[in-house]
Amino acid sequence: MAKDVIIACDFPSGEETMAFLDKFQGRARPYVKIGMELFYAQGPDIVRRLKDRGHSVFLDLKLHDIPNTVGRAMGVLSHLGADMVNLHAAGGSAMMEAAIEGLSRGGQRPLLIAVTQLTSTSQERLERELLIPRPMEEVVTSYARTAKAAGLNGVVCSPLEAGTIHAACGDGFLTVTPGVRFAGAAGDDQQRVTTPAGARSLGSDYIVVGRPITQAPDPVAAYEKCLREFLTDNN
Ligand code: C5P
C-alpha cells in the first residue's frame, strides 16, 4: 500500500502557498493538504491550481452536518479533482453514506476518510467536555468501525491509534495521521503525538505534517528528513 508524507499547507493565501511550494521545484511534487483557512480564502480554484502543478491534494474540510447537506456539498466537491476528502465520523453512518453518494457524482471518486477524534483532544477533554467517559482508543476504534461499515476508505487518527484501527478494520483501511513531531520538538497544540519513525512502526499509512515542515528554517530538508524517517527502516 502507498505510504506518504502529506504536507499541511496551513497558509492564509494562495500566494504564500505557491511561494512555499516553489521551494520544492526540481523535486518530486509533495502530496499536500489544504485546510479550511486556505480553501475559505481562495475558493475551489486552489485545488485546481495545485492539481495543475502536479500535486496530489487532500482537501481537509471536515464536513459535519445533516446527511442531505453533506451529500450535496460532497457532490460539489466531487468535481474539483481532489485525491482525498474528509468528514467527521461523529456525524453518523447516514451522513457518511450520503457523503459517498454525493462524492460519486464526479469522475473518479476521491478517497473519503473520517476524522475520529481530533488529535488536539485529550482523554480529559473527551470526558469533561464531550461527556464521553470511555478510553480514547475505544472511542476512536468504534468510530472507525462505523466509518468502514458506511463504505469509507479510512480515518484520520493519531499514529498512536493506527495499530488498533488496522487490527479492527483491516490493513487496507487507511490511517491518515497528524500529530507528528520530530524527536525533541514542541508539540504545539497537538496532544497525541509521535515522531515520523514512530508513526512508521505504529503502521500509519499517511502522516500529515504541518508546522514541523512549514515553519522549519529549511522546509525542503525537513520534508526530506520526514520522508526518510517515515519510509525507510534505518534512520
Ligand atoms: O502543524 P501540524 O503538524 O500540527 O498540522 C497538523 C494538520 O493536521 C493541521 O492542518 C490540522 O488541521 C490537521 N488535523 C489534525 N488533527 C486531526 C485532523 C486534521 O491536526 N484530527
Side-chain angles (χ1 to χ4, degrees), residues 8 10 33 60 62 86 115 117-120 156-157 178-181 187-190 208-212:
D10 294 322
K33 178 176 89 71
D60 179 20
K62 299 188 180 72
N86 66 354
V115 176
Q117 286 292 333
L118 296 171
T119 45
S120 52
V156 185
C157 61
V180 173
R181 290 294 180 268
D188 304 312
D189 50 351
Q190 298 284 14
V208 176
V209 187
R211 288 161 289 182

Side-chain angles (χ1 to χ4, degrees), residues 56-102:
S56 291
V57 175
F58 169 18
L59 187 54
D60 179 20
L61 299 181
K62 299 188 180 72
L63 276 69
H64 188 177
D65 208 317
I66 60 171
N68 181 57
T69 302
V70 168
R72 292 174 72 94
M74 287 293 190
V76 176
L77 298 182
S78 71
H79 298 289
L80 301 185
D83 299 273
M84 190 186 286
V85 300
N86 66 354
L87 44 63
H88 272 285
S93 53
M95 186 201 76
M96 291 194 262
E97 285 160 14
I100 291 185
E101 204 186 308

Side-chain angles (χ1 to χ4, degrees), residues 6-42:
I6 302 178
I7 304 179
C9 290
D10 294 322
F11 295 106
S13 69
E15 287 60 42
E16 279 169 78
T17 306
M18 299 308 164
F20 169 76
L21 292 172
D22 281 346
K23 300 182 201 291
F24 293 82
Q25 257 166 17
R27 298 162 198 268
R29 299 285 184 211
Y31 203 133
V32 296
K33 178 176 89 71
I34 300 175
M36 296 180 217
E37 181 184 12
L38 190 55
F39 190 82
Y40 293 157
Q42 297 294 313

Side-chain angles (χ1 to χ4, degrees), residues 154-176:
V155 288
V156 185
C157 61
S158 159
L160 306 177
E161 295 137 8
T164 315
I165 287 172
H166 281 141
C169 300
D171 283 340
F173 192 67
L174 299 173
T175 52
V176 179

